[in-house]
Coordinates of all heavy atoms in Angstrom, one line a residue:
P22 N -5.1 11.6 12.2 CA -5.8 12.8 12.7 C -7.2 13.0 12.0 O -7.4 12.8 10.9 CB -4.9 14.0 12.4 CG -3.5 13.3 12.2 CD -3.8 12.0 11.6
S23 N -8.2 13.4 12.8 CA -9.5 13.8 12.3 C -10.3 14.5 13.3 O -10.0 14.3 14.5 CB -10.3 12.4 11.9 OG -11.6 12.7 11.5
G24 N -11.2 15.4 12.9 CA -12.0 16.1 13.8 C -13.1 15.3 14.4 O -13.7 15.7 15.4
R25 N -13.4 14.1 13.9 CA -14.5 13.3 14.5 C -13.9 11.8 14.5 O -13.0 11.5 13.9 CB -15.7 13.3 13.5 CG -15.6 12.7 12.2 CD -16.9 12.8 11.4 NE -16.7 12.1 10.1 CZ -17.1 10.8 10.0 NH1 -17.5 10.1 11.0 NH2 -17.0 10.2 8.7
L26 N -14.6 11.1 15.4 CA -14.2 9.7 15.6 C -14.9 8.8 14.5 O -16.1 8.8 14.3 CB -14.6 9.2 17.0 CG -14.2 7.8 17.4 CD1 -12.7 7.8 17.5 CD2 -14.8 7.5 18.8
S27 N -14.1 8.0 13.8 CA -14.6 7.1 12.8 C -13.7 5.8 12.9 O -12.6 5.7 13.3 CB -14.6 7.7 11.4 OG -13.3 8.0 11.0
L28 N -14.3 4.7 12.2 CA -13.7 3.4 12.1 C -13.9 2.8 10.7 O -15.1 2.7 10.4 CB -14.1 2.5 13.2 CG -13.6 1.1 13.2 CD1 -12.0 1.0 13.3 CD2 -14.2 0.2 14.2
R29 N -12.8 2.4 10.1 CA -13.0 1.7 8.8 C -12.3 0.4 9.0 O -11.3 0.2 9.5 CB -12.2 2.5 7.7 CG -12.2 1.8 6.4 CD -11.6 2.6 5.3 NE -10.2 3.0 5.6 CZ -9.1 2.3 5.3 NH1 -9.3 1.1 4.7 NH2 -7.9 2.8 5.5
V30 N -13.1 -0.7 8.7 CA -12.7 -2.0 8.9 C -12.4 -2.7 7.5 O -13.3 -2.6 6.6 CB -13.7 -2.9 9.7 CG1 -13.3 -4.3 9.9 CG2 -14.1 -2.2 10.9
S31 N -11.3 -3.5 7.5 CA -11.0 -4.2 6.3 C -10.4 -5.6 6.7 O -10.4 -5.9 7.8 CB -9.9 -3.4 5.4 OG -8.7 -3.2 6.1
G32 N -9.8 -6.3 5.7 CA -9.1 -7.6 6.1 C -10.1 -8.8 5.8 O -11.2 -8.6 5.6
P33 N -9.5 -9.9 5.8 CA -10.2 -11.1 5.4 C -11.4 -11.4 6.3 O -12.3 -12.2 5.9 CB -9.2 -12.3 5.6 CG -8.0 -11.7 6.3 CD -8.1 -10.2 6.1
F34 N -11.5 -11.0 7.6 CA -12.6 -11.2 8.4 C -13.4 -9.9 8.8 O -14.2 -9.8 9.7 CB -12.1 -11.9 9.7 CG -11.6 -13.2 9.5 CD1 -10.1 -13.4 9.5 CD2 -12.4 -14.4 9.3 CE1 -9.7 -14.6 9.2 CE2 -11.8 -15.6 9.0 CZ -10.5 -15.8 8.9
G35 N -13.0 -8.9 8.0 CA -13.6 -7.5 8.3 C -15.1 -7.5 8.1 O -15.8 -6.8 8.9
E36 N -15.7 -8.2 7.2 CA -17.1 -8.2 7.0 C -17.9 -8.8 8.2 O -19.1 -8.7 8.2 CB -17.4 -8.9 5.7 CG -16.9 -8.1 4.5 CD -17.3 -8.8 3.2 OE1 -17.9 -9.9 3.2 OE2 -17.1 -8.3 2.0
L37 N -17.2 -9.5 9.0 CA -17.9 -10.3 10.1 C -18.1 -9.5 11.4 O -18.7 -10.0 12.3 CB -17.2 -11.6 10.4 CG -17.0 -12.6 9.2 CD1 -16.2 -13.8 9.6 CD2 -18.4 -12.9 8.7
I38 N -17.5 -8.3 11.4 CA -17.5 -7.5 12.7 C -18.2 -6.2 12.4 O -18.1 -5.7 11.3 CB -16.1 -7.5 13.3 CG1 -15.2 -6.5 12.4 CG2 -15.6 -8.8 13.6 CD1 -14.0 -6.2 13.1
P39 N -18.8 -5.6 13.5 CA -19.5 -4.4 13.3 C -18.5 -3.2 13.2 O -17.4 -3.3 13.8 CB -20.3 -4.2 14.6 CG -19.6 -5.0 15.6 CD -18.9 -6.1 14.8
D40 N -18.8 -2.1 12.5 CA -17.9 -0.9 12.4 C -18.6 0.3 13.2 O -18.1 1.4 13.1 CB -17.5 -0.6 11.0 CG -18.7 -0.3 10.2 OD1 -19.9 -0.4 10.6 OD2 -18.5 -0.1 9.0
G41 N -19.7 -0.1 13.9 CA -20.4 0.9 14.6 C -20.1 0.9 16.1 O -19.0 0.3 16.5
G42 N -21.0 1.4 16.9 CA -20.7 1.5 18.4 C -20.5 0.3 19.1 O -19.9 0.3 20.2
D43 N -20.9 -0.9 18.5 CA -20.7 -2.1 19.3 C -19.2 -2.7 19.1 O -18.8 -3.6 19.8 CB -21.6 -3.2 18.8 CG -23.1 -3.0 19.2 OD1 -23.2 -2.3 20.2 OD2 -23.9 -3.6 18.6
N44 N -18.5 -2.1 18.2 CA -17.1 -2.5 18.0 C -16.2 -2.1 19.2 O -16.3 -0.9 19.7 CB -16.5 -1.9 16.7 CG -15.1 -2.5 16.3 OD1 -14.2 -2.1 17.0 ND2 -15.1 -3.3 15.3
L45 N -15.4 -3.0 19.7 CA -14.7 -2.8 20.9 C -13.6 -1.6 20.7 O -13.2 -0.9 21.6 CB -13.9 -4.1 21.3 CG -14.7 -4.9 22.4 CD1 -13.8 -6.2 22.6 CD2 -15.0 -4.2 23.6
V46 N -13.1 -1.4 19.5 CA -12.2 -0.3 19.2 C -12.8 1.0 19.4 O -12.3 1.9 20.1 CB -11.7 -0.5 17.8 CG1 -10.9 0.8 17.3 CG2 -10.8 -1.7 17.6
L47 N -14.1 1.2 18.9 CA -14.8 2.4 19.2 C -15.2 2.6 20.7 O -15.2 3.7 21.2 CB -16.0 2.5 18.3 CG -15.7 2.8 16.8 CD1 -17.0 2.8 16.0 CD2 -15.0 4.1 16.6
R48 N -15.6 1.4 21.3 CA -15.9 1.5 22.7 C -14.7 1.9 23.6 O -14.8 2.7 24.5 CB -16.5 0.2 23.2 CG -17.9 -0.1 22.7 CD -18.4 -1.5 23.0 NE -18.2 -1.8 24.5 CZ -18.3 -3.0 25.0 NH1 -18.5 -4.0 24.3 NH2 -18.3 -3.1 26.3
A49 N -13.5 1.4 23.1 CA -12.3 1.7 23.9 C -12.0 3.3 23.6 O -11.6 3.9 24.6 CB -11.1 0.9 23.3
A50 N -12.2 3.8 22.4 CA -12.0 5.1 22.2 C -12.9 6.0 23.1 O -12.5 7.1 23.7 CB -12.2 5.5 20.7
G51 N -14.2 5.7 23.1 CA -15.2 6.4 23.9 C -14.9 6.4 25.5 O -15.1 7.4 26.1
L52 N -14.3 5.3 25.8 CA -13.9 5.2 27.3 C -12.7 6.0 27.6 O -12.6 6.7 28.6 CB -13.6 3.7 27.6 CG -13.4 3.3 29.0 CD1 -14.8 3.4 29.8 CD2 -12.9 1.9 29.2
L53 N -11.8 6.1 26.6 CA -10.6 6.9 26.9 C -10.9 8.4 26.8 O -10.4 9.2 27.7 CB -9.5 6.6 25.8 CG -8.2 7.1 25.9 CD1 -7.5 6.6 27.2 CD2 -7.3 6.8 24.7
H54 N -11.7 8.8 25.7 CA -12.0 10.3 25.7 C -13.3 10.3 24.9 O -13.3 10.1 23.6 CB -10.9 11.1 25.0 CG -11.1 12.5 25.2 ND1 -12.1 13.3 24.7 CD2 -10.2 13.4 25.9 CE1 -12.0 14.5 25.1 NE2 -10.9 14.6 25.8
P55 N -14.4 10.6 25.5 CA -15.8 10.5 24.8 C -16.0 11.5 23.8 O -16.9 11.4 22.9 CB -16.7 10.6 25.9 CG -16.0 11.3 27.0 CD -14.6 10.9 27.0
H56 N -15.3 12.6 23.6 CA -15.6 13.7 22.7 C -14.4 14.0 21.7 O -14.5 15.0 20.9 CB -16.0 14.9 23.5 CG -17.1 14.8 24.5 ND1 -18.3 14.3 24.2 CD2 -17.1 14.9 25.8 CE1 -19.0 14.2 25.2 NE2 -18.3 14.5 26.2
A57 N -13.3 13.2 21.7 CA -12.2 13.5 20.9 C -12.4 12.8 19.5 O -13.1 11.8 19.4 CB -10.9 13.1 21.5
G58 N -11.7 13.3 18.4 CA -11.8 12.7 17.2 C -10.5 12.0 16.7 O -9.4 12.3 17.1
A59 N -10.7 11.1 15.8 CA -9.6 10.3 15.2 C -10.1 9.4 14.2 O -11.3 8.9 14.3 CB -8.8 9.5 16.2
A60 N -9.4 9.2 13.1 CA -9.8 8.3 12.0 C -9.1 7.0 12.3 O -7.9 6.9 12.1 CB -9.4 8.8 10.7
L61 N -9.8 5.9 12.8 CA -9.3 4.6 13.1 C -9.5 3.7 12.0 O -10.5 3.7 11.3 CB -10.0 4.1 14.4 CG -9.7 4.8 15.7 CD1 -10.7 4.6 16.8 CD2 -8.3 4.4 16.2
R62 N -8.6 2.8 11.8 CA -8.8 1.7 10.8 C -8.4 0.4 11.5 O -7.4 0.3 12.3 CB -7.9 2.0 9.6 CG -6.5 2.1 9.8 CD -5.7 2.5 8.5 NE -4.3 2.6 8.7 CZ -3.7 3.6 9.1 NH1 -4.3 4.7 9.5 NH2 -2.3 3.6 9.3
L63 N -9.0 -0.6 11.1 CA -8.8 -2.0 11.7 C -8.7 -3.0 10.5 O -9.7 -3.1 9.8 CB -9.9 -2.4 12.6 CG -10.0 -3.8 13.1 CD1 -8.7 -4.2 13.8 CD2 -11.2 -4.1 13.9
Q64 N -7.6 -3.6 10.4 CA -7.4 -4.7 9.4 C -7.6 -6.0 10.2 O -6.8 -6.4 11.0 CB -6.1 -4.7 8.7 CG -5.9 -5.8 7.7 CD -4.5 -5.8 7.0 OE1 -4.2 -4.7 6.5 NE2 -3.9 -6.8 6.9
K65 N -8.7 -6.7 9.9 CA -9.2 -7.8 10.7 C -8.6 -9.2 10.1 O -9.1 -9.7 9.2 CB -10.7 -7.9 10.8 CG -11.1 -8.9 11.9 CD -10.8 -8.4 13.2 CE -11.2 -9.5 14.3 NZ -10.5 -9.2 15.6

């Protein structure tokens, strides 16, 4: 739970992918609900 949308990326390939708006996880979140919040994490 979080009041704003964020993404934290980790894992062996985490440094190779964006954690900003180009990341598909954040794009998926924006498509589902553009104004809701959640703290997302991705272990790559």
Side-chain angles (χ1 to χ4, degrees):
S23 176
R25 68 181 187 90
L26 186 65
S27 63
L28 174 64
R29 177 172 58 85
V30 182
S31 62
F34 298 100
E36 293 183 356
L37 301 178
I38 65 172
D40 58 4
D43 287 339
N44 188 286
L45 271 179
V46 168
L47 287 177
R48 287 174 56 193
L52 192 68
L53 189 63
H54 197 294
H56 305 299
L61 291 159
R62 60 186 183 275
L63 169 61
Q64 181 177 312
K65 193 66 186 167

